[in-house]
Amino acid sequence: MLQDLVRYYEILAADENSTIPKRGYGTANISFSLNIDDDGNLLNITSCKTVAGKKTVAKLMTVPEPVTGRAGTKVLPDFLFGNSSYVLGFDNKGKPDRAKACFESFRKHNILILRNAQCREADAVIKFLEKWDPEKALDNPAISENIEEIYKGANFIFRYEGKTDVHNVPAVKQAWMEYKNKSSNNPVRQCLVTGKLAPIAILHPDIKGLYKGESAKIKLVSYNKLAFESYNALKKPRQGLNGPVSEYATFAYGTAINALLADESHKIILGDTTVIFWAETTASVYQDMFSLFLDCSQLYSKDNEKKTVRSATAERMVKTVLAKIAQGKTADVEEFYKNAIDRNIRFYVLGMSPNAARISVRFYLKGTFGSFVEKIEKHYEDLAIQKQFDNDMPSVPVWKILGETLSKTSDDKSVSTYLSASLMRAILLGEDYPNSLYQTILLRIRAEQDINYYKASVIKACLLRKARKTGNDVYKEVLTLSLNENSKITAYNLGRLFAVLERVQKDANPDIKSTIRDKYFSSASTTPASTFPTLLALAQHHISKSEYSNYFDRMIGEIMDKLNVDDDPFPKNLSLEEQGIFYLGFYHQRNQFYKGKNSESNQN
């Protein structure tokens, strides 16, 4: 995985149009710039923030590589950026002596490097650091005007005469890299990632942007106890030597993964799992397509403020595929492969969750882009079923599937980590859907006494994939888009019969608030023999009041003929698989009343 991330970094870094940080640089959220003149005077403070939706947030900027290991009370300054403790020498943390120590460390560190730059921008910062008095900071109008934001932990950069960011000046960048190249005292070992002899990283980079993760403290690789460190740690404790990864490789993989996590349009949140993905290219069309396939709700969103802009090619391709699948047709994107994308390009999918100060890798999948797309297409084909309402999404995104496993009345809206990871593996590798998904959906149907379009899609997909694996296609004839009136499968026809009996009741009592579904749905789907005789008796009473009594009598008779209860009585129990078929029969039949040709307008 680290090798693949390093390779991706090198692909991005080789592109002259890429903004990914080069070696010796990283990213940080910057809120303000300190504008200084030739004499090191603070002219003003300007905002670097950017608009995100309806609010402004700190801007993610490329800066000299941030330090790591600033745990506890350690004072470790960055170069040409930092918070008020380091850059200005004050904060609101109640430890003024520590803030002064931070500033003094920042001042010495930055002046040491900037003296080798020999340019007016560097000289201006040196003069500022030499004359700045933290004791008088709050007397400065520029400081007092922004004090609330400063106290929230805002980060600063230096800007010369309001025009040039000092850390981007060529002479300053050269001085910084000379310092970096001379500063490593780490032991030289063979890097497990690159295979080359190089200085080994003692501390690995912080990973930022993980959902529910501590942005400044979470790591993918970390050793912080003697038991986890090198075999000779008792002699000379050295974090990182147990799994020797070079400074270059740690910078490269950390930069790549942070760039992917910072790209909101190309990551997906499933439960507590953050999913990122990339192709071995700088072209974004692959990520565009993949993100749209996983979250197709973006294609149907009418909220332009929330909709992420993606390439027209990707939107057209995904819409074409999903539209065909929704119509029950086989998707075919060969023309697009010929003209727009390379189906054989390598593609990677990484799912991560926070685990205290470390990251748990939930899954890491790699293959060709074409193979992933084929598996996703098959997933949507398995899900395809007739919609219940016009405003239902034509295709069901992954987050919606997971959402259907949650109780609508519970305050706990957290999705099972195991379930989200297992579902993603099933989709992207073409494996069976997790049994827990099917069973949870059945539980939710029984608890809610109803089945909607999304739950019906999941039931159909789970049963279809299971039938495909086992070769048992006895239920295949009802795992379809819409109603199969000719099927003689008992569980399916029991579901159909229940839908008809409920419709009869509603037709006889248009203002009824509670139907047989509210009382008998669970028992009818699990123990039909003890439930349907009662329901059929009630139906005769309802039919006598119905305007369409002949139509309903005929429909009930046709279904009862298929059930053949004289020779094969109502089953005492239905298995979990049969319960799913029952719910599909109910769903299909109910939809037929509203969408089929046998509407109320022509029931006679």
Side-chain angles (χ1 to χ4, degrees):
M1 182 178 76
L2 298 185
Q3 289 176 331
D4 296 332
L5 286 164
V6 170
R7 170 62 182 153
Y8 183 59
Y9 167 78
E10 291 172 343
I11 290 171
L12 295 179
D15 182 6
E16 60 182 19
N17 297 319
S18 173
T19 58
I20 196 167
K22 304 301 187 286
R23 188 183 179 190
Y25 288 81
T27 58
N29 291 313
I30 304 298
S31 297
F32 300 104
S33 64
L34 300 174
N35 295 328
I36 57 177
D37 61 15
D38 275 314
D39 295 324
N41 298 314
L42 179 61
L43 300 176
N44 55 51
I45 295 177
T46 57
S47 175
C48 297
K49 292 185 176 183
T50 184
V51 177
K54 296 182 179 180
K55 60 181 180 180
T56 57
V57 297
K59 183 179 181 181
L60 190 68
M61 297 180 65
T62 298
V63 293
E65 187 176 1
V67 299
T68 58
R70 196 183 282 157
T73 59
K74 286 185 180 179
V75 175
L76 296 172
D78 285 303
F79 181 56
L80 289 177
F81 80 96
N83 59 28
S84 65
S85 303
Y86 284 91
V87 177
L88 300 172
F90 76 94
D91 54 38
N92 62 338
K93 298 177 182 178
K95 297 180 179 179
D97 291 340
R98 187 180 189 282
K100 291 177 183 178
C102 289
F103 174 74
E104 183 62 22
S105 175
F106 183 85
R107 185 183 70 80
K108 291 179 180 179
H109 177 64
N110 278 260
I111 290 177
L112 174 68
I113 300 170
L114 290 170
R115 288 210 185 278
N116 295 320
Q118 298 182 348
C119 63
R120 57 187 182 182
E121 294 89 353
D123 291 341
V125 177
I126 291 173
K127 291 175 182 177
F128 169 84
L129 293 174
E130 288 177 337
K131 67 169 45 175
W132 181 257
D133 184 359
E135 296 283 352
K136 299 179 180 179
L138 295 178
D139 296 334
N140 191 301
I143 299 293
S144 58
E145 288 173 6
N146 298 283
I147 194 64
E148 289 187 10
E149 289 295 320
I150 291 173
Y151 280 158
K152 291 178 182 178
N155 284 328
F156 300 84
I157 58 170
F158 289 91
R159 189 166 286 169
Y160 174 73
E161 296 285 359
K163 298 177 181 178
T164 307
D165 293 344
V166 178
H167 63 273
N168 286 331
V169 174
V172 173
K173 293 172 74 172
Q174 182 177 345
W176 167 243
M177 288 310 300
E178 288 175 356
Y179 169 81
K180 285 288 292 181
N181 291 333
K182 295 177 181 178
S183 62
S184 177
N185 295 316
N186 293 348
V188 175
R189 299 282 192 277
Q190 184 176 34
C191 174
L192 292 179
V193 176
T194 65
K196 299 177 181 178
L197 290 174
I200 298 302
I202 301 304
L203 295 176
H204 285 242
D206 295 325
I207 304 302
K208 303 176 182 180
L210 201 67
Y211 179 64
K212 290 187 177 180
E214 298 177 68
S215 60
K217 298 180 180 179
I218 195 164
K219 295 180 183 294
L220 184 61
V221 180
S222 174
Y223 306 89
N224 66 343
K225 298 288 183 183
L226 289 178
F228 312 144
E229 295 178 13
S230 174
Y231 58 88
N232 66 346
L234 292 177
K235 290 184 177 180
K236 191 176 183 181
R238 299 295 271 173
Q239 292 171 282
L241 296 187
N242 246 19
V245 180
S246 66
E247 292 178 337
Y248 165 72
T250 56
F251 163 76
Y253 91 70
T255 302
I257 204 169
N258 280 325
L260 289 164
L261 285 168
D263 185 358
E264 295 294 334
S265 63
H266 293 130
K267 72 177 180 182
I268 303 293
I269 307 299
L270 300 176
D272 70 344
T273 302
T274 303
V275 183
I276 57 175
F277 35 87
W278 67 95
E280 287 189 345
T281 176
T282 57
S284 64
V285 65
Y286 299 93
Q287 289 171 295
D288 284 344
M289 281 189 66
F290 193 82
S291 59
L292 285 171
F293 268 127
L294 290 187
D295 186 6
C296 53
S297 60
Q298 287 282 332
L299 293 170
Y300 317 122
S301 174
K302 295 180 180 179
D303 189 344
N304 292 326
E305 188 174 291
K306 293 183 179 180
K307 186 175 180 180
T308 302
V309 177
R310 293 184 174 89
S311 70
T313 299
E315 287 203 3
R316 185 174 67 253
M317 292 169 70
V318 175
K319 277 184 177 179
T320 300
V321 169
L322 295 183
K324 287 185 176 181
I325 291 173
Q327 296 167 9
K329 300 177 182 178
T330 301
D332 182 8
V333 293
E334 288 303 321
E335 288 301 317
F336 295 120
Y337 280 132
K338 291 178 183 177
N339 300 322
I341 60 176
D342 177 7
R343 69 180 304 152
N344 294 316
I345 198 165
R346 299 294 295 174
F347 197 81
Y348 307 86
V349 187
L350 172 60
M352 301 173 289
S353 297
N355 181 11
R358 293 177 178 81
I359 292 173
S360 292
V361 175
R362 298 302 180 187
F363 53 84
Y364 181 57
L365 309 174
K366 53 185 179 180
T368 64
F369 182 73
S371 67
F372 280 128
V373 170
E374 287 169 8
K375 300 294 192 303
I376 294 172
E377 288 174 8
K378 195 63 181 175
H379 162 70
Y380 279 114
E381 287 176 8
D382 290 346
L383 282 173
I385 199 168
Q386 188 181 54
K387 293 196 296 181
Q388 182 178 5
F389 303 113
D390 291 338
N391 61 354
D392 285 334
M393 285 181 278
S395 300
V396 187
V398 182
W399 61 265
K400 186 64 177 174
I401 294 175
L402 293 171
E404 290 298 317
T405 65
L406 302 176
S407 169
K408 293 180 173 60
T409 58
S410 174
D411 293 332
D412 183 7
K413 299 300 180 183
S414 57
V415 176
S416 162
T417 300
Y418 168 78
L419 180 56
S420 59
S422 299
L423 178 58
M424 281 297 296
R425 290 184 63 88
I427 293 170
L428 298 178
L429 299 179
E431 298 176 349
D432 281 356
Y433 296 111
N435 287 330
S436 57
L437 173 63
Y438 179 76
Q439 293 170 4
T440 304
I441 290 295
L442 292 188
L443 287 173
R444 297 275 22 104
I445 291 172
R446 287 198 288 270
E448 296 166 10
Q449 301 291 304
D450 196 12
I451 177 171
N452 61 14
Y453 161 66
Y454 303 105
K455 290 183 175 69
S457 296
V458 174
I459 287 176
K460 181 210 168 203
C462 289
L463 293 176
L464 193 58
R465 192 155 290 193
K466 183 177 180 180
R468 189 179 299 127
K469 179 181 179 180
T470 61
N472 183 5
D473 59 357
V474 64
Y475 297 128
K476 187 176 181 180
E477 66 184 57
V478 297
L479 301 178
T480 54
L481 279 175
S482 55
L483 180 66
N484 181 352
E485 295 179 324
N486 298 317
S487 174
K488 293 185 178 181
I489 295 175
T490 299
Y492 186 74
N493 282 304
L494 287 172
R496 289 186 60 202
L497 180 59
F498 193 94
V500 174
L501 297 178
E502 184 189 33
R503 182 58 184 270
V504 170
Q505 184 184 29
K506 286 182 177 180
D507 188 68
N509 304 279
D511 298 326
I512 193 171
K513 295 181 179 179
S514 178
T515 69
I516 58 172
R517 179 159 44 88
D518 299 292
K519 185 176 181 180
Y520 294 103
F521 198 50
S522 292
S523 59
S525 62
T526 54
T527 55
S530 64
T531 307
F532 273 95
T534 301
L535 295 178
L536 288 169
L538 288 172
Q540 293 306 311
H541 173 69
H542 297 143
I543 288 175
S544 65
K545 296 181 180 180
S546 173
E547 183 181 352
Y548 306 106
S549 57
N550 292 336
Y551 170 77
F552 287 126
D553 254 337
R554 186 172 66 250
M555 180 172 285
I556 292 172
E558 290 174 354
I559 296 175
M560 291 296 289
D561 285 343
K562 291 182 174 62
L563 288 170
N564 191 22
V565 293
D566 291 336
D567 297 329
D568 187 13
F570 291 119
K572 292 182 179 180
N573 299 285
L574 293 182
S575 66
L576 288 178
E577 195 172 55
E578 290 171 327
Q579 289 172 37
I581 297 298
F582 176 98
Y583 293 135
L584 283 180
F586 173 82
Y587 178 83
H588 279 158
Q589 184 62 63
R590 185 177 60 180
N591 265 19
Q592 184 72 1
F593 285 130
Y594 295 99
K595 301 177 182 296
K597 60 184 179 180
N598 295 324
S599 62
E600 289 186 0
S601 60
N602 62 4
Q603 282 178 349
N604 285 338

